[in-house]
Amino acid sequence: MRMATSGLLLVFVLSLVACNKSDPSNVREAQKTAAVLSGDDKGEAANNPQCKMFTVAEIANYGGGPVNPGRNAAMGTGCQWTGVKDDGTGTVMLQIVSADYHSPPSGAPGFRKLPDVGKQGFVAPETGGWQAGAIQGERSINVSAGGSEAKTIDFLREAMKRANR
């Protein structure tokens, strides 16, 4: 009985080891999925139109702290600048999508309409900061920032101006 138990334990341990092995094809698939989700499959962040709209110094002003260079985000429809501090302060994101995808979080606590900022303009608190968005023409322009509500709204207004250039 003891030998059978030891044999089953050995089979169990070997099965666990085999399951934890990284199959190169699984790793490649995971990397492909990550590239699609970030937008890296469409090219470098330096070529992303949203990443070109603002300098790192300008973004730091909206996020409330120094940031790293922009990188692709939201399947290539956005750019994200992460804060240089480990606590996440300063992180900022800009995303431009079709107006069909505009989805204000109207049920969120603290949500408020911004009638003077584009069509269906809004601002709402989100973890560690604020999000804001509005429809402009056939596009929905959306931002999130770790700074203040006022700076996030300023960021949205400026993004809307620059998106028209």
Side-chain angles (χ1 to χ4, degrees):
M1 179 78 160
R2 182 180 237 183
M3 196 153 151
T5 305
S6 297
L8 286 175
L9 182 60
L10 179 62
V11 169
F12 178 71
V13 169
L14 290 175
S15 297
L16 283 177
V17 170
C19 288
N20 286 328
K21 268 186 132 178
S22 291
D23 180 347
S25 65
N26 289 344
V27 172
R28 281 192 299 278
E29 284 302 311
Q31 289 169 335
K32 283 182 190 176
T33 300
V36 168
L37 292 175
S38 69
D40 287 344
D41 67 322
K42 294 179 180 153
E44 294 183 19
N47 297 324
N48 180 323
Q50 286 71 258
C51 291
K52 292 179 178 182
M53 289 173 64
F54 293 89
T55 67
V56 170
E58 290 170 323
I59 290 297
N61 179 52
Y62 296 116
V67 296
N68 294 302
R71 64 180 191 211
N72 289 322
M75 298 180 73
T77 63
C79 186
Q80 182 178 34
W81 296 263
T82 56
V84 297
K85 296 180 182 175
D86 289 337
D87 64 3
T89 58
T91 297
V92 175
M93 186 167 163
L94 166 64
Q95 179 185 36
I96 300 176
V97 294
S98 167
D100 295 338
Y101 297 114
H102 188 71
S103 58
S106 56
F111 170 88
R112 135 177 118 79
K113 292 181 180 180
L114 299 174
D116 61 330
V117 182
K119 184 178 171 188
Q120 295 183 34
F122 73 89
V123 66
E126 71 177 358
T127 305
W130 296 87
Q131 64 176 309
I135 293 176
Q136 181 179 52
E138 295 191 13
R139 298 177 295 184
S140 174
I141 301 180
N142 301 278
V143 300
S144 64
S148 68
E149 175 185 17
K151 288 216 181 237
T152 303
I153 295 169
D154 289 345
F155 179 36
L156 174 61
R157 289 179 197 270
E158 188 60 29
M160 291 173 75
K161 285 182 200 172
R162 294 183 188 198
N164 275 334
R165 294 183 187 168

